Amino acid sequence: VIVWLNGRLVDSSQAVVDVFDRGFLLADGIFETLLVVRGRPIWLREHIERLTAGAAALAILGAPGTYAAAAIVEALLVANGLLEEPRVAVRITHTRGPGPRGLAPPTTHSPTVLATAAPVGPPPKAVRTIIAASTRRNPYSITSRLKTLAFTDSIVALREALDRGADEAIMLNTAGNVACATAASVVVMKGDRVWTPPVEEGALPGIARARLLAAAARDGLDAAERTVRVEDLEAADAVVLTNSLRGAVPVAEIVGLRPAGSGDGGGLLVDLLRADIEDAARED
Amino acid sequence: VIVWLNGRLVDSSQAVVDVFDRGFLLADGIFETLLVVRGRPIWLREHIERLTAGAAALAILGAPGTYAAAAIVEALLVANGLLEEPRVAVRITHTRGPGPRGLAPPTTHSPTVLATAAPVGPPPKAVRTIIAASTRRNPYSITSRLKTLAFTDSIVALREALDRGADEAIMLNTAGNVACATAASVVVMKGDRVWTPPVEEGALPGIARARLLAAAARDGLDAAERTVRVEDLEAADAVVLTNSLRGAVPVAEIVGLRPAGSGDGGGLLVDLLRADIEDAARED
């Protein structure tokens, strides 16, 4: 496997970072994961906008812009023979780079930028989720709106899900409302209403989530950010999890709640987001 | 500088981790930072107990035990000529090691264990703090009780403090009570009462914090975990920040609150913890 690291393509056997990299020691960085369909990155501009906003919030220099990122993605795909692959995940990781001991960011820094590509399979038809008991999302931190490297809580929640025989975990926020899943947004549908937890309630501003809301609104649905309560999950016609790699995946069951809705609404949301991805894959 | 990495001493110019290390990509790991005084690690057993508990909670294999850690510390000090140094910080970092794409931990893993040593100066006589507005501690996550690599929030709070002309940030929890500082515990004294936020309220189970409470109790003070409200900071005779490297450091001012107490009580807490460290430095 070839990866892109700080400006050059290197074989993964040689692809290493300094042990003093603050991304490694302190999760002092951010990342994006995007889908590439037959050489075409999906929603690249949105991903780079979020990466840029995250880097600005953390005051980390050197986030690649959209053109640079497009060039990195293409170089990675060519180097790995993935240009014709129908589904490739590209992850761009951006850290503050190495620093001296302690939390305080160094006054100057040499950021680390890593990009990796790997083919991925088709999304699951549906998932079984739990509501995580081990952790909740924290809306009182600005980092809940950033895709930082601090994914420990999501790993804890996912491990809890796997331990309890489920595929995914829905995370509540500290007030007990629904926030998001471990690496996906939660979107609920009932009648012609489609809604998802507000960013202010601890949800990451998911890109697939925003695309789905816009597509649903164009389709005449009443789509918006609104509080999602646990009861809303039970009463919904459908609950789907959205992210850039999988699109929308219906939740077939939430352990401990009555089975989620028939999935008809879920099918509609899946189709809306799939069509949006297909449009993006055709764009010039 | 020589570091200890996965069983051997290596020059830091050669000390690198795989770009697929989950510590780097997902903050999937834990760490400890301990003080070493002239070759003697302070509170080593307590640090290794916390590391072991953290590794167990995250199901990461291969945490070094106390004897292994003592050997690592000694090897590091010898290699770096630091055996006679009065104050050395040793950090032990333990991650799940490299893994494939995605959040799910691999079924088998090769953990990464890194240890580094660096001389540190004397602790500051006092610090000026803010109460962080950018982030709060999340008591609803089991990770708030673990010293995981996810230090992004503490970095954000510390940057806020530095931007506002202070040295440190006190972090509230999501309920608005005091939890801890960015890399230290908060201990409050008023009359003969000494108290610190409970772990259940989002405080890390700090080792210096536990040592200070025990020392204060032995000294006849009424020392315990109890809720600390912002008003308690204002009304206190003294507020100190404790951690393993600095001992207890008095808070001279909290921006926006009236100046903290005279510092007499602070001096007592500083002395109690310093005596405890000196005892540990003499132990056989």
Side-chain angles (χ1 to χ4, degrees), chain B residues 130-150:
Chain B
I130 59 161
I131 294 181
S134 50
T135 185
R136 291 190 181 187
R137 292 280 295 183
N138 178 3
Y140 294 93
S141 174
I142 63 163
T143 61
S144 69
R145 275 87 94 184
L146 309 176
K147 203 170 170 74
T148 76
L149 299 175

Side-chain angles (χ1 to χ4, degrees), chain B residues 118-172:
Chain B
V120 286
K125 295 280 178 239
V127 290
R128 185 167 188 257
T129 80
I130 59 161
I131 294 181
S134 50
T135 185
R136 291 190 181 187
R137 292 280 295 183
N138 178 3
Y140 294 93
S141 174
I142 63 163
T143 61
S144 69
R145 275 87 94 184
L146 309 176
K147 203 170 170 74
T148 76
L149 299 175
F151 256 61
T152 328
D153 276 22
S154 284
I155 294 168
V156 163
L158 182 58
R159 284 192 54 241
E160 184 192 343
L162 300 174
D163 285 349
R164 291 169 61 187
D167 310 302
E168 248 295 353
I170 289 174
M171 293 155 82
L172 306 181

Side-chain angles (χ1 to χ4, degrees), chain A residues 179-250:
Chain A
C180 55
T182 64
S185 305
V186 175
V187 179
V188 174
M189 184 168 184
K190 186 172 174 66
D192 70 346
R193 278 171 59 112
V194 176
W195 73 109
T196 190
V199 168
E200 294 70 30
E201 295 198 32
L204 187 80
I207 288 164
R209 161 187 179 275
R211 298 292 313 194
L212 177 56
L213 253 61
R218 283 195 306 273
D219 207 50
L221 296 163
D222 173 19
E225 283 192 336
R226 287 185 203 105
T227 297
V228 177
R229 298 193 175 75
V230 174
E231 310 86 84
D232 296 328
L233 299 177
E234 282 201 291
D237 295 334
V239 177
V240 299
L241 305 185
T242 67
N243 71 21
S244 290
L245 286 188
R246 291 178 163 188
V249 176

